[in-house]
Amino acid sequence: MQPKLRPFRARATCKPGCAKPGHVCYKRPCLKDCAGHAEKCPKRTGGGLVFRQRKGKSKLTLQCPPELLAQLKAHREIQDAEREKAGDRWEDHDLVFATKHGKSIERTEDWKRWKAVLKQAGVRDVRVHDARHTAATLLIEQGVNIRVVQQVLGHTRVTTTERTPTYPHP
């Protein structure tokens, strides 16, 4: 069953005189001190990206299969070359996946790639977050200790992990 999507409140076309390609103007005008919605809002104060610490108290350490670790190391070498090539234009935010100048990738890029992978694999359309639940479900079904699943998911409390819903798999 597909999740119900909320309607997007926007006009079908932009306001007369709008020259921004690839977007739709908002139905309601922004408040003077707009800080809440899309990063491209012309009236947004502060702007830019905000990096924040994760909710948990401790640093999250992820277990990584050796095959993936090798790919991440190769990716890091490519990124180091991009950093050197960019020189002063590089913005270092210590990101694993970044643009060729170190900035964060567009928010929708991972979503677009996820959708393409699902389509190519012939798998039903689901949210990226659903894959997280599926992974937890599969670990639990294979008898992996709940504390290990808790650590993999990065949950602070085991009770959060125990509430992980199980889904039927195709």
Side-chain angles (χ1 to χ4, degrees):
M1 186 169 150
Q2 293 273 343
K4 193 172 185 179
L5 299 175
R6 291 183 286 175
F8 178 66
R9 292 184 174 163
R11 293 184 182 187
T13 58
C14 292
K15 298 173 187 175
C18 178
K20 289 187 176 183
H23 87 286
V24 178
C25 289
Y26 288 91
K27 195 173 193 176
R28 290 179 283 173
C30 296
L31 299 174
K32 181 182 173 187
D33 57 348
C34 175
H37 75 277
E39 66 188 34
K40 294 179 178 142
C41 172
K43 295 182 183 177
R44 181 171 179 175
T45 56
L49 293 172
V50 177
F51 293 97
R52 56 188 163 86
Q53 294 295 320
R54 62 183 294 271
K55 289 190 279 184
K57 293 178 183 175
S58 63
K59 247 186 171 175
L60 179 63
T61 302
L62 299 175
Q63 298 301 317
C64 186
E67 299 84 9
L68 178 58
L69 188 57
Q71 289 179 2
L72 287 171
K73 285 181 179 180
H75 172 74
R76 183 59 150 198
E77 288 176 13
I78 292 167
Q79 195 176 54
D80 288 343
E82 288 173 346
R83 179 183 293 110
E84 195 171 313
K85 187 176 178 182
D88 292 343
R89 295 174 298 172
W90 183 265
E91 291 184 27
D92 196 359
H93 298 289
D94 197 28
L95 301 172
V96 175
F97 299 103
T99 67
K100 62 183 179 181
H101 293 116
K103 295 179 182 179
S104 67
I105 58 173
E106 188 66 35
R107 299 188 302 211
T108 57
E109 279 306 305
D110 59 344
W111 179 83
K112 288 176 189 173
R113 290 182 185 181
W114 172 252
K115 296 297 181 182
V117 167
L118 292 177
K119 188 174 183 178
Q120 184 179 11
V123 177
R124 67 184 169 92
D125 190 26
V126 294
R127 301 171 306 156
V128 175
H129 194 78
D130 294 333
R132 178 180 166 85
H133 288 287
T134 301
T137 300
L138 292 173
L139 289 170
I140 291 167
E141 286 177 354
Q142 292 176 28
V144 174
N145 185 291
I146 193 74
R147 296 280 180 183
V148 174
V149 177
Q150 172 193 359
Q151 189 175 21
V152 167
L153 296 176
H155 291 157
T156 306
R157 297 186 199 109
V158 75
T159 53
T160 306
T161 310
E162 290 170 338
R163 289 192 316 257
T164 299
T166 55
Y167 299 105
H169 302 287

